[in-house]
Amino acid sequence: MIGPLPDAPVVHVLVIAAATGLIWLGSGWLEEAAETLAGYYGLPAVVQGSIVVAVGSSFPELTSVLVTALTGVFDMGVGALVGSAIFNVLVIPAVAGLGADDELEANRAIVYKEAQFYMLAVSALVVTFALAVIYFPVSADPIVGTMPRSLAVIPLALYVLYLFIQVQDVDDAAIDPVRDEVDVRREWGKLAAGLGLIVVTVERLVASVESLGATFGVPEFLAGVTVVAAATSLPDALVSVRTARENRGATSLGNVLGSNTFDLLVAIPLGVLIVGEVAVNFSTAVPMLGVLTAATVLLFVTLRTSLALTDRESYALLAAYGLFVAWVVAETIGATSVLKGV
């Protein structure tokens, strides 16, 4: 019988690398099955990307939040989710745009529905955090509050509205399903296998990152924003690049925005529902969500220009992500004073 792994940095690095590869594999199964099932049930490209593929490729982020909530390192999970959201908005469209044979094509549904609803999702989460600080304050610190289960219902309710809008779009599109030579049971089984593999490997990934952070004195939030965020964002990146190369820009961009909408409106609230309540530090949450808002606005502007993403705009998005990483590191090492208490 194999015993527990040695608690050594090199072992944890190898575990992180292996877990990332397995997340890649599991997400591939999940995305392929989700795409086939979307065609089977006749879903439009935008809905396919923003719901079916997005929820599937977001499962690593959801799992990381749930695992960290259960293991008492919720800060790492939230950090991973916010870092992943910023990575998704800036890096994935840029890489997909550069990897496409031509400009990455958008459309008005992406720009005026998906992007704008996502900005609404960010705003709703900021309001929810503000309500936590106002109505459930921590007496020792005026900018720290407690977010109970009752407040977690607010973003979840907004996601229900998002699903309602998508269902209406499916009815309006009235696309004929593609059911030739589709083994539905096999595809659902493949999807379940991908989800199971992701659950197991994300748990090991979070544990190893936590151990490395403790060994080298890296704050949980920074570890989440960098290592965990990058690893859990791999599925979204792979899905978006592949669909972009197949000249399916709507699905590629819908995956990015739909994934982030799911992360903010579902993943964080589910973590709160599991642990009962979590502390909300406004000095941490507001600056990070402010950066996320700015990144979303930047993506919105670049997509709206001729409804396509050019190579120059893709490089601009990558440069913006580089500035974000530099800012987070500066905050963490004390070069600035915004992220107090991290």
Side-chain angles (χ1 to χ4, degrees):
M1 183 175 179
I2 299 175
L5 295 173
D7 187 16
V10 64
V11 173
H12 290 302
V13 170
L14 292 175
V15 169
I16 291 172
T20 300
L22 290 174
I23 291 172
W24 182 340
L25 177 63
S27 297
W29 294 347
L30 189 150
E31 188 271 333
E32 290 171 6
E35 183 179 337
T36 301
L37 290 171
Y40 180 83
Y41 293 111
L43 302 182
V46 173
V47 176
Q48 176 185 333
S50 60
I51 295 293
V52 182
V53 178
V55 173
S57 59
S58 287
F59 208 74
E61 288 98 325
L62 173 62
T63 304
S64 69
V65 171
L66 299 184
V67 168
T68 54
L70 291 171
T71 56
V73 287
F74 194 67
D75 273 353
M76 182 187 291
V78 174
L81 192 145
V82 175
S84 176
I86 296 173
F87 184 93
N88 288 354
V89 168
L90 296 177
V91 176
I92 295 180
V95 174
L98 294 173
D101 294 333
D102 202 351
E103 293 181 350
L104 186 62
E105 297 291 337
N107 57 37
R108 293 186 180 275
I110 290 292
V111 174
Y112 290 111
K113 187 186 75 172
E114 299 299 331
Q116 291 190 16
F117 196 97
Y118 176 57
M119 286 189 273
L120 177 63
V122 176
S123 301
L125 196 61
V126 172
V127 170
T128 304
F129 287 166
L131 292 174
V133 173
I134 294 171
Y135 292 106
F136 302 94
V138 175
S139 57
D141 194 330
I143 60 172
V144 177
T146 301
M147 184 175 172
R149 290 190 174 102
S150 57
L151 288 182
V153 174
I154 296 174
L156 284 173
L158 186 59
Y159 194 75
V160 172
L161 172 62
Y162 179 69
L163 292 179
F164 171 77
I165 294 172
Q166 300 290 19
V167 169
Q168 296 305 307
D169 286 348
V170 172
D171 292 339
D172 293 342
I175 296 176
D176 294 330
V178 180
R179 296 182 173 176
D180 296 335
E181 300 180 357
V182 176
D183 187 338
V184 180
R185 290 185 179 181
R186 178 179 179 276
E187 294 304 323
W188 278 109
K190 189 176 181 180
L191 187 144
L195 292 179
L197 182 59
I198 289 170
V199 169
V200 175
T201 51
V202 167
E203 189 278 331
R204 291 310 315 159
L205 174 71
V206 171
S208 292
V209 171
E210 182 184 359
S211 297
L212 284 177
T215 301
F216 296 105
V218 179
E220 292 173 357
F221 191 85
L222 177 60
V225 167
T226 54
V227 181
V228 179
T232 55
S233 290
L234 269 180
D236 291 305
L238 296 172
V239 169
S240 294
V241 170
R242 197 188 81 169
T243 52
R245 288 179 175 175
E246 295 173 354
N247 294 320
R248 293 190 292 146
T251 301
S252 178
L253 294 169
N255 169 53
V256 170
L257 295 168
S259 175
N260 276 13
T261 300
F262 179 86
D263 288 346
L264 296 185
L265 299 183
V266 178
I268 289 180
L270 282 183
V272 175
L273 291 178
I274 287 178
V275 299
E277 60 181 27
V278 296
V280 175
N281 189 330
F282 234 40
S283 66
T284 299
V286 171
M288 293 299 296
L289 290 173
V291 172
L292 182 56
T293 302
T296 305
V297 171
L298 178 60
L299 178 63
F300 176 83
V301 171
T302 55
L303 290 179
R304 185 57 191 90
T305 55
S306 71
L307 292 177
L309 193 66
T310 65
D311 287 352
R312 180 179 297 179
E313 291 168 337
S314 296
Y315 286 122
L317 294 177
L318 291 176
Y321 186 75
L323 291 175
F324 162 71
V325 173
W327 173 72
V328 171
V329 173
E331 294 282 7
T332 305
I333 66 177
T336 61
S337 59
V338 176
L339 295 181
K340 296 179 181 178
V342 174

